[in-house]
Each structure stands twice: as C-alpha cells, then as structure tokens.
Amino acid sequence: ARAESARLLPSAADARAIAVGYLTLLTCVAAPLLLVALLSLLRPALRPHPAARAGRALCRGVRSVVEMAVALLLTAVVQPLAIGFGLDLSSLELLGSSVLLRASLWQAVPVPFIAAHWVVGHFALILLSEVTRALEGTLRPEVAARVHALLG
C-alpha cells in the first residue's frame, strides 16, 4: 500500500520541472510588460501607452499578492509555530523533558513534530482571542481598550 501511494505522489524532479515550467510561462508574459513599464518611467512619452499602463498595473498587482502572501505566511504559519515552540520550551521542566530529547524527537519525526507545535500554537492564539473577547465584555470600556491594545 505504501509503494502504491508513493507512485501517486510526484517526485521532487517532477515538482521542480512543473515549477520551472510555470515560472518560464510567467516570465514570458510578465517580462515584456515590466520592461515597457520601466521604459515608461524613463521616457515620459511612453506613459500613456496601454502596455505601459498594463505593466504598472501588473507591478501593483504583484506587489499586492506578495504583501498578502507574506502577511498570510506570518499570521497563519510563523506566529503559531513560534508560540508552539515557545510553549514547548517553557514547559520542558514541567514535563520532565530536555532540549536534547526534543531535538531527538524532531530528528525522528520532523513533520508530526512541527505540525503538533503549529496546532498547539494555533489553539493558544484562539484561546487568547476568546479570553480577550470575554474580558472586553466584562471590563470597563477604557480598560478593555487598553487590554485590546496590549494583546493586539
């Protein structure tokens, strides 16, 4: 069963070839528009050209997508992982463990180790949000505003 499921997944070489193909297609479409947009910055006579406007719109769109992707990565992946690992490190003595034991566990099963820390961090963020919401309902408005500003 394992060999059969392994055949269904693409190999690293296949994934690399697909990524290179998509990047090549994207480059063939985006590079001329970006070049015209850059030239329109250097030569004002080209600014009203439709290709220059399309290039500038492409630049704005790419910037927006990159900003959203970075924000999503930080909020949905990095922050829960950091909180999960922080909680793990702070509870080592309580659980009778050590950094070396955690490192050996990480080496043995890296994906479940990281996934467990992400889940713990995500649940901690949800719990913090719920506690903040409950406090906002019971505290005076000025105190609730300070708590909200403190916790974000």
Side-chain angles (χ1 to χ4, degrees):
R2 182 174 275 225
E4 187 176 313
S5 66
R7 282 189 301 213
L8 296 175
L9 297 174
S11 67
D14 292 339
R16 196 175 313 116
I18 290 170
V20 167
Y22 277 118
L23 286 174
T24 303
L25 285 173
L26 181 65
T27 302
C28 289
V29 170
L33 288 175
L34 292 174
L35 182 64
V36 169
L38 180 63
L39 288 175
S40 74
L41 291 174
L42 300 174
R43 301 193 86 184
L46 290 176
R47 285 192 183 139
H49 195 275
R53 286 195 305 266
R56 286 191 301 273
L58 177 68
C59 289
R60 285 190 302 270
V62 167
R63 186 184 73 207
S64 297
V65 168
V66 168
E67 287 174 355
M68 287 176 25
V70 167
L72 181 65
L73 180 72
L74 289 175
T75 304
V77 178
V78 174
Q79 188 178 22
L81 275 176
I83 291 173
F85 279 111
L87 287 172
D88 187 20
L89 288 174
S90 64
S91 65
L92 285 176
E93 187 177 334
L94 176 69
L95 299 174
S97 187
S98 69
V99 175
L100 291 175
L101 287 173
R102 290 289 194 246
S104 65
L105 183 61
W106 184 338
Q107 282 183 328
V109 283
V111 173
F113 185 81
I114 292 172
H117 284 84
W118 180 84
V119 167
V120 168
H122 195 70
F123 280 141
L125 284 171
I126 291 171
L127 181 63
L128 180 65
S129 173
E130 291 300 319
V131 167
T132 304
R133 188 178 316 164
L135 282 175
E136 285 176 351
T138 58
L139 296 175
R140 291 188 316 240
E142 62 272 5
V143 176
R146 283 188 180 178
V147 169
H148 186 67
L150 178 66
L151 297 177

